[in-house]
Amino acid sequence: MTIREQASEAARAARRLATLSTAARNQALLAMADALLREEPVVLAANAADMEAGRAKSLKASLLDRLLLTPERLADMAEGLRQVAALPDPVGAILGGSTLPNGLTVTKIRVPLGVVGIVYEARPNVTADAIGLCLKSGNAVLLKGGSEALHSNTAVAAVLRRAAEEAGIPAGAVQFIASTDHGAVQELIRLRGLVDVVIPRGSARLIQAVVANATVPVIETGVGVCHTFVDASADFDKAERIILNAKTQRPSTCNALETLLVHEAVADTFLPRIVRVLQEHGVTVLGDARVQAVDSAVEAATDEDWATEYGDLRLSVKVVSGLDEALDHIASYGTKHSECILTEDYDHARRFQQAVDAACVYVNASTRFTDGFQFGFGAEIGISTQKLHARGPMALPELTTYKYLLCGDGQVRP
Amino acid sequence: MTIREQASEAARAARRLATLSTAARNQALLAMADALLREEPVVLAANAADMEAGRAKSLKASLLDRLLLTPERLADMAEGLRQVAALPDPVGAILGGSTLPNGLTVTKIRVPLGVVGIVYEARPNVTADAIGLCLKSGNAVLLKGGSEALHSNTAVAAVLRRAAEEAGIPAGAVQFIASTDHGAVQELIRLRGLVDVVIPRGSARLIQAVVANATVPVIETGVGVCHTFVDASADFDKAERIILNAKTQRPSTCNALETLLVHEAVADTFLPRIVRVLQEHGVTVLGDARVQAVDSAVEAATDEDWATEYGDLRLSVKVVSGLDEALDHIASYGTKHSECILTEDYDHARRFQQAVDAACVYVNASTRFTDGFQFGFGAEIGISTQKLHARGPMALPELTTYKYLLCGDGQVRP
């Protein structure tokens, strides 16, 4: 089947899926969780093939670990599907409306998007997560995963699709593109009219390739050059705890700290302390001349460093003259993801939150909280860094749209 | 100044505009309305140059009429700006939030999009409307109008920009691209990172060119192949009134009726009546064989007719076997704009509204009501036919996004 045919089948299924009851969709998710556990040998055998190919290609150990499926990880995937089943259904919520002077009623109701395309590179668990979230929100889903995980993804998608259809989900609602051809992504993202949105998840390169060539509407996700600004009035103990957490608790994530901005008034007091503590925790510090003056081990930060999402234990540090320079730096180099001020000054906290244009703007807390689960959404399909449709952590409501229902008894326009 | 420089200036202005008070923005809109009236001679002189060039190019009379500005039309534009000033400010509304178990508060607040690009072909009044709606909602605006109205648009934009800046709107927040170069649109729609959204308004060809080549997120507007389905149980008097209104009250609009679907059970009774009445009102009826059998003047409808937005007094008519075939036809040929069922059957009304995937789904009323003013929004920047971000009539809230404000006292992620 061609990708266009897969998308057409998904679009047809989406029409029927849109009117399926909440109970039917939840039942399917539970059946899918059971199937994943029941078919463990099949999925693990497929994964073993990917692992062998990965070792033959000398993939990095960290990549191999992300690729690996174990009985525990499969159980986590199944548990994830059960948790999604337990979440409130976003579909059908009445969002507002009115009765016009002529008696025509206008009701704004939440409905599924239709067909959601997901292009991803990461772990095979994304396959199960994405299918679960899309079906729960009444959407058909068209998946294109990375080539390293092809066997695993194919197996997981096949198991879940079969279980879903046996439980009453319309045939064709789950589509996996089992192609390693690079043109497959390009074809998928230009199926406007069949695919309602594409969400890319993975490297900055993947995301940019999707954004540059898609005609289907895209929700850009993920890249986070996150800043934390230490104001003159910051509480040093809080600041140390927050900065360490934001940088080191899980440095590979998009909400981890990448650039620390320090008010020059505390450059002599706080800066030596935080540089030392960061280095003690294995962080390589890069900085401008004033930061380098603090410690001879600090490497020079280039213009490129300010724009880089390291994703590891590196941190660029810059001394700024105050709030305004911090705001300018963030406006120039930020990716509109998560930004933070550490301050005890009410007015500065307020000004920072008003002025910074980002999905999440923090006062005195670690940027690591930018996450659908941490926000209490119970799920996450990605973190949007664009402003259209959804911003920040996206969960079930962000996988929906709305329509207006108008009920009349003969109204015409004068 | 290059288009990129204009966009950069707009982006810088947008940062300051985002924190300007409601009162300051409203005051600017009122000053702009006054300036438009005060500068009437300048604007009318510019319009006279466009009219002369249009006559020299032998533009159609209907196009010349759309191009024409008069003291009355200028007064309407000024009044439009005053009405927008009087609307509630969407910016700053608290949309929700929560306090996390660790005490971190999460507040979802409505904020401007940033820089809104508008690409349009239509009347010069769009220039004033778009500037007014964008500034009211705290956005900078980058306008690219049609070449026929270049002098008029340039004059209106210049008058409004000067008045806005004198009233305290940040310099550069209003940008008009005074180029007739076709490459200008292509450049504008690829300024991702500087422009936050592009809204094309005009012909299907313009909209498709924007959609196909933009890297900036686009909101697709306008094209409406709208259907009305006459069910077996329809009230014929209501049906006649609604169909006539939807087709003839203003046939050039995107919410006008283009294809009538008639249940075969009433093909012998209702069809001859409605064809005759439509013809009496100057409508050219095209149809399938069963419609042609009713009246020898009915031309044969081709497959292309079902997909065509006529925009004039033509109507394609098809006999269908029932609700399911009507739904299938709408799914195949509709543009997700406005669709209607005429029925007295409760279950059919309910099924139609659930199953049809469109911005506005009507029972027993004219599709001509799909309009921001008719919906009571007090304004309209366009009608979205896509599902991402906004659907149907878009007003001030649809020109905004949101961000999350997180206030803590030292929270870190365990």
Side-chain angles (χ1 to χ4, degrees), chain A residues 244-263:
Chain A
L244 266 186
N245 184 261
K247 182 68 246 180
T248 68
Q249 194 255 351
R250 201 167 152 209
S252 64
T253 56
C254 60
N255 55 21
L257 173 63
E258 303 295 0
T259 300
L260 184 67
L261 303 171
V262 179
H263 193 296

Side-chain angles (χ1 to χ4, degrees), chain B residues 47-389:
Chain B
N47 184 246
D50 283 331
M51 291 297 289
E52 195 177 337
R55 279 187 215 100
K57 279 197 288 182
S58 306
L59 287 188
K60 278 198 299 183
S62 61
L63 270 180
L64 284 174
D65 180 62
R66 291 169 73 175
L67 193 53
L68 180 68
L69 289 179
T70 62
E72 293 69 36
R73 289 184 178 180
L74 267 188
D76 285 347
M77 285 159 67
E79 179 55 25
L81 290 168
R82 291 205 183 92
Q83 286 173 1
V84 170
L87 290 173
D89 186 5
V91 174
I94 306 297
L95 303 175
S98 64
T99 301
L100 304 187
N102 63 10
L104 190 64
T105 58
V106 185
T107 306
K108 187 177 180 178
I109 186 170
R110 201 185 275 286
V111 296
L113 281 165
V115 178
V116 176
I118 313 265
V119 179
Y120 59 111
E121 289 176 326
R123 290 165 276 238
N125 67 312
V126 173
T127 308
D129 285 358
I131 293 174
L133 291 171
C134 287
L135 292 185
K136 172 77 185 197
S137 51
N139 294 292
V141 58
L142 191 55
L143 296 159
K144 171 72 183 74
S147 55
E148 286 82 6
L150 182 63
H151 295 96
S152 313
N153 288 334
T154 304
V156 170
V159 166
L160 296 185
R161 175 177 174 159
R162 195 164 54 238
E165 293 182 1
E166 281 171 12
I169 296 288
V174 176
Q175 298 283 344
F176 181 77
I177 300 173
S179 161
T180 55
D181 179 9
H182 282 300
V185 171
Q186 294 303 312
E187 192 177 341
L188 163 61
I189 66 179
R190 298 186 74 87
L191 291 173
R192 194 174 179 105
L194 287 175
V195 179
D196 293 289
V197 59
V198 168
I199 305 175
R201 284 182 60 172
S203 67
R205 213 178 59 177
L206 169 80
I207 293 166
Q208 285 317 307
V210 169
V211 163
N213 298 303
T215 57
V216 171
V218 174
I219 301 181
E220 189 174 349
T221 67
V223 177
V225 178
C226 302
H227 300 78
T228 292
F229 167 52
V230 184
D231 198 9
S233 66
D235 175 306
F236 289 177
D237 292 338
K238 266 189 228 169
E240 180 182 313
R241 202 164 63 238
I242 291 169
I243 292 163
L244 266 186
N245 184 260
K247 183 67 247 181
T248 69
Q249 195 255 351
R250 202 167 152 208
S252 64
T253 56
C254 60
N255 54 21
L257 174 63
E258 303 294 2
T259 300
L260 183 68
L261 304 171
V262 179
H263 194 295
E264 61 181 7
V266 295
D268 289 339
T269 47
F270 183 67
L271 195 52
R273 168 178 169 175
I274 192 67
V275 168
R276 196 186 59 245
V277 171
L278 284 162
Q279 288 169 338
E280 284 168 7
H281 283 77
V283 177
T284 301
V285 177
L286 301 92
D288 63 10
R290 286 201 272 186
V291 184
Q292 287 188 282
V294 164
D295 187 310
S296 59
V298 172
E299 297 170 31
T302 65
D303 223 40
E304 206 187 318
D305 280 300
W306 308 127
T308 300
E309 182 180 29
Y310 297 119
D312 60 20
L313 285 176
R314 270 184 296 178
L315 179 73
S316 58
V317 183
K318 186 187 171 82
V319 175
V320 294
S321 59
L323 179 56
D324 286 332
E325 193 185 341
L327 291 172
D328 286 343
H329 183 95
I330 291 169
S332 296
Y333 296 102
T335 54
K336 300 185 170 37
H337 192 297
S338 299
E339 312 292 358
C340 176
I341 184 172
L342 305 177
T343 192
E344 299 301 316
D345 181 314
Y346 171 80
D347 183 57
H348 283 195
R350 181 173 151 89
R351 275 183 57 205
F352 186 87
Q353 285 196 315
Q354 286 180 337
V356 171
D357 181 17
C360 299
V361 191
Y362 289 81
V363 178
N364 295 344
S366 168
T367 52
R368 288 278 297 118
F369 286 105
T370 301
D371 175 277
F373 294 94
Q374 295 295 322
F375 275 30
F377 297 166
E380 184 182 286
I381 190 82
I383 295 175
S384 165
T385 51
Q386 73 180 35
K387 300 189 207 170
L388 222 60
H389 186 72

Side-chain angles (χ1 to χ4, degrees), chain A residues 95-381:
Chain A
L95 302 175
S98 64
T99 301
L100 304 187
N102 63 10
L104 190 63
T105 58
V106 185
T107 306
K108 188 177 181 180
I109 185 170
R110 201 186 274 287
V111 296
L113 281 166
V115 178
V116 177
I118 313 265
V119 179
Y120 59 111
E121 288 176 327
R123 291 166 275 238
N125 66 313
V126 173
T127 308
D129 285 357
I131 293 174
L133 291 171
C134 287
L135 292 185
K136 171 78 185 197
S137 52
N139 294 292
V141 58
L142 192 54
L143 297 159
K144 171 72 183 76
S147 55
E148 285 82 6
L150 182 64
H151 295 96
S152 314
N153 288 335
T154 304
V156 169
V159 166
L160 295 185
R161 175 177 174 161
R162 197 165 50 239
E165 294 183 1
E166 281 170 11
I169 296 289
V174 176
Q175 299 282 342
F176 181 77
I177 300 173
S179 162
T180 55
D181 179 9
H182 281 301
V185 171
Q186 294 303 312
E187 193 178 341
L188 163 60
I189 65 179
R190 298 187 74 87
L191 292 173
R192 195 175 178 103
L194 287 175
V195 179
D196 293 288
V197 59
V198 168
I199 305 175
R201 284 182 60 173
S203 67
R205 214 178 59 175
L206 169 80
I207 293 167
Q208 285 316 307
V210 169
V211 163
N213 298 304
T215 57
V216 171
V218 174
I219 301 181
E220 190 174 349
T221 66
V223 177
V225 178
C226 302
H227 300 77
T228 293
F229 167 53
V230 184
D231 198 9
S233 66
D235 176 304
F236 288 178
D237 291 337
K238 267 189 226 169
E240 181 182 312
R241 201 164 64 238
I242 290 169
I243 292 164
L244 266 186
N245 184 261
K247 182 68 246 180
T248 68
Q249 194 255 351
R250 201 167 152 209
S252 64
T253 56
C254 60
N255 55 21
L257 173 63
E258 303 295 0
T259 300
L260 184 67
L261 303 171
V262 179
H263 193 296
E264 61 181 7
V266 294
D268 289 340
T269 46
F270 183 67
L271 195 53
R273 168 177 169 176
I274 193 67
V275 168
R276 196 185 60 245
V277 172
L278 284 162
Q279 288 170 337
E280 284 168 7
H281 283 77
V283 177
T284 302
V285 176
L286 302 93
D288 63 10
R290 285 201 272 186
V291 184
Q292 287 188 282
V294 164
D295 187 310
S296 59
V298 172
E299 298 170 29
T302 66
D303 224 38
E304 206 187 318
D305 280 300
W306 309 127
T308 299
E309 182 179 26
Y310 295 120
D312 60 22
L313 284 177
R314 271 183 297 177
L315 179 73
S316 57
V317 183
K318 186 186 171 80
V319 175
V320 294
S321 59
L323 180 56
D324 286 332
E325 192 185 342
L327 291 172
D328 286 342
H329 183 95
I330 291 169
S332 297
Y333 294 101
T335 54
K336 300 184 168 41
H337 192 298
S338 299
E339 311 292 359
C340 177
I341 185 172
L342 305 178
T343 191
E344 299 301 317
D345 181 316
Y346 171 80
D347 183 57
H348 283 194
R350 182 173 151 89
R351 274 183 58 205
F352 186 87
Q353 285 197 315
Q354 285 180 337
V356 171
D357 181 17
C360 300
V361 191
Y362 289 81
V363 177
N364 295 343
S366 167
T367 52
R368 288 278 297 120
F369 286 106
T370 301
D371 174 278
F373 293 95
Q374 295 294 323
F375 274 31
F377 296 166
E380 183 181 287
I381 190 81

